[in-house]
Amino acid sequence: MVLLQLEEMPSWLESMLTSELALLVLFGICILEGAMMLRFMPSELVVPGALALIGSSMPELVTIVAIAVVGTTIGQAVLFVLVRRAGREYVLQKRWFPVTESRLERFDGWFDRWGAIAVAGSNTMLFVRGLLTVPAGLSEMDARSFVALSAIGSLSFQSILTGLYLLGGHLLVFG
């Protein structure tokens, strides 16, 4: 079973992640991912790819995960504020927002059912990361609570990916 393939990473990005600016590039990519604007590679590949290209010693691992959590949280906070100020219709009309109205309605239901804790839960899951940002932004949810729950979910997600990278190398294909 192949979970992730490093060859899905664009070659220009791979070269940037092996340059002296690697951590800054990673930070920018994570902000884009959090704001749901990462379209050039699967978000599940960001941290494992960074670990493979930048390094996976304990200090590098902690740095990479911390950068990923802070970056994705910043990106989601920006999207949260944008939705709060501009509204749902504005975001849905934007080409960079990759979610349809019908799919977003399902996430509205999740948020209505589970409340704010669903933000952290959804940030932990593949394929739905960040999608509760829109319902949260439209709710009465406090921005600080959103940021905290977003960071908790992102930490969980990035830790799982890091664990898969470190423990399950046979699930990852790098080549």
Side-chain angles (χ1 to χ4, degrees), residues 25-98:
V25 170
L26 175 64
F27 185 63
I29 290 168
C30 290
I31 290 172
L32 291 174
E33 182 207 348
M36 299 186 69
M37 296 175 67
L38 185 68
R39 305 287 277 223
F40 49 85
M41 67 184 280
S43 62
E44 307 79 47
L45 186 58
V46 173
V47 166
L51 290 168
L53 296 170
I54 297 171
S56 58
S57 69
M58 188 54 72
E60 291 165 327
L61 184 146
V62 170
T63 300
I64 289 168
V65 170
I67 287 171
V69 170
V70 171
T72 56
T73 302
I74 288 171
Q76 284 190 353
V78 168
L79 182 58
F80 176 88
V81 170
L82 178 66
V83 169
R84 178 153 289 170
R85 292 187 178 161
R88 175 189 183 110
E89 288 72 30
Y90 174 82
V91 174
L92 283 170
Q93 292 172 357
K94 297 302 175 189
R95 290 180 50 192
W96 56 261
F97 190 73

Side-chain angles (χ1 to χ4, degrees), residues 3-153:
L3 180 64
L4 302 171
Q5 294 186 349
L6 191 57
E7 62 217 18
E8 292 180 50
M9 182 180 293
S11 59
W12 60 267
L13 181 58
E14 188 174 338
S15 67
M16 290 180 81
L17 285 172
T18 55
S19 76
E20 293 177 4
L21 300 174
L23 296 176
L24 184 60
V25 170
L26 175 64
F27 185 63
I29 290 168
C30 290
I31 290 172
L32 291 174
E33 182 207 348
M36 299 186 69
M37 296 175 67
L38 185 68
R39 305 287 277 223
F40 49 85
M41 67 184 280
S43 62
E44 307 79 47
L45 186 58
V46 173
V47 166
L51 290 168
L53 296 170
I54 297 171
S56 58
S57 69
M58 188 54 72
E60 291 165 327
L61 184 146
V62 170
T63 300
I64 289 168
V65 170
I67 287 171
V69 170
V70 171
T72 56
T73 302
I74 288 171
Q76 284 190 353
V78 168
L79 182 58
F80 176 88
V81 170
L82 178 66
V83 169
R84 178 153 289 170
R85 292 187 178 161
R88 175 189 183 110
E89 288 72 30
Y90 174 82
V91 174
L92 283 170
Q93 292 172 357
K94 297 302 175 189
R95 290 180 50 192
W96 56 261
F97 190 73
V99 180
T100 63
E101 175 75 33
S102 62
R103 190 163 184 219
L104 192 52
E105 285 177 13
R106 284 188 289 172
F107 296 107
D108 288 338
W110 285 16
F111 191 79
D112 291 343
R113 181 173 183 191
W114 299 101
I117 196 68
V119 171
S122 73
N123 273 353
T124 301
M125 296 187 280
L126 291 173
F127 310 114
V128 297
R129 283 185 44 72
L131 290 176
L132 266 76
T133 302
V134 174
L138 295 171
S139 74
E140 298 296 318
M141 185 174 189
D142 175 64
R144 287 182 184 163
S145 297
F146 173 80
V147 167
L149 290 167
S150 174
I152 290 167

